Amino acid sequence: MASLNVGNLGEYLREQRRNAQLSLRQLADAAGVSNPYLSQIERGLRKPSAEVLQQVAKALRISAETLYVRAGILDAERDLNEVETRAVILADPTLDERQKQVLLQIYESFRKENGFGSGSGEESAGDTDTAGAKDDAAADGADDSGADSETDPRRTAG
């Protein structure tokens, strides 16, 4: 029998597939994997590679990181709350795709503001952190600049 993590992964995948109202065959086609292979993953008989998990996540429109944690590829302790929050937002059937993406962007911006950057490893995540730090530094520098007080009526009115 497969490990506990793989069983949990299979149950989770089946739940996400049903929430997306996809048949096993439809998800297998969308993810580019065989129907029997996906069935074995859902039943906990196979442990898929990270690449297969990424394809399945893309087809389900959920976070690949969520699947990596469920499969034991990523450390479950690391940002488990973030992964669960993202999964709940993405699984909410009352929200459309645009609303889900906007909520995730707002959630991520609050996490960054509070010092908890994205753990997703996406290319843009590192770029945004760097850009945010530059913006913060520019804002700090502007506060100390005498030029701003001359051009900003709010600063001279006080």
Side-chain angles (χ1 to χ4, degrees), residues 5 19 25 38 40 42 44 46-47 75 81 84 90-92 95-96 115 123 129-130 132 142 153 158:
N5 281 343
N19 286 342
R25 186 175 308 277
L38 186 57
Q40 290 173 348
E42 281 194 0
R46 295 275 185 166
K47 184 173 183 176
D75 182 10
N81 289 336
E84 288 176 349
L90 291 168
D92 189 332
L95 301 174
D96 64 32
E123 291 175 19
D129 287 342
T130 305

Side-chain angles (χ1 to χ4, degrees), residues 87-152:
V88 168
I89 291 170
L90 291 168
D92 189 332
T94 63
L95 301 174
D96 64 32
E97 286 303 313
R98 183 190 60 79
Q99 292 167 330
K100 290 177 185 180
Q101 292 307 312
V102 168
L103 266 177
L104 288 173
Q105 289 171 355
I106 293 169
Y107 174 67
E108 186 60 33
S109 72
F110 283 143
R111 284 182 49 81
K112 287 178 184 173
E113 184 177 305
N114 294 332
F116 299 95
S118 173
S120 65
E122 295 176 13
E123 291 175 19
S124 60
D127 296 342
T128 339
D129 287 342
T130 305
K134 288 178 184 173
D135 290 344
D136 290 344
D140 290 342
D143 289 344
D144 297 333
S145 169
D148 283 345
S149 62
E150 293 173 11
T151 58
D152 188 345

Side-chain angles (χ1 to χ4, degrees), residues 25-90:
R25 186 175 308 277
Q26 289 170 321
L27 178 57
D29 288 345
V33 298
S34 74
N35 188 31
Y37 183 61
L38 186 57
S39 174
Q40 290 173 348
I41 293 169
E42 281 194 0
R43 290 181 289 142
L45 302 176
R46 295 275 185 166
K47 184 173 183 176
S49 68
E51 183 179 319
V52 168
L53 288 175
Q54 185 174 20
Q55 292 170 242
V56 171
K58 190 173 185 178
L60 286 170
R61 297 182 179 199
I62 61 174
S63 164
E65 185 175 76
T66 303
L67 297 184
Y68 296 158
V69 169
R70 297 256 177 191
I73 294 172
L74 287 180
D75 182 10
E77 298 296 318
R78 189 204 78 165
D79 295 336
L80 185 60
N81 289 336
E82 176 195 3
V83 170
E84 288 176 349
T85 301
R86 289 174 177 277
V88 168
I89 291 170
L90 291 168

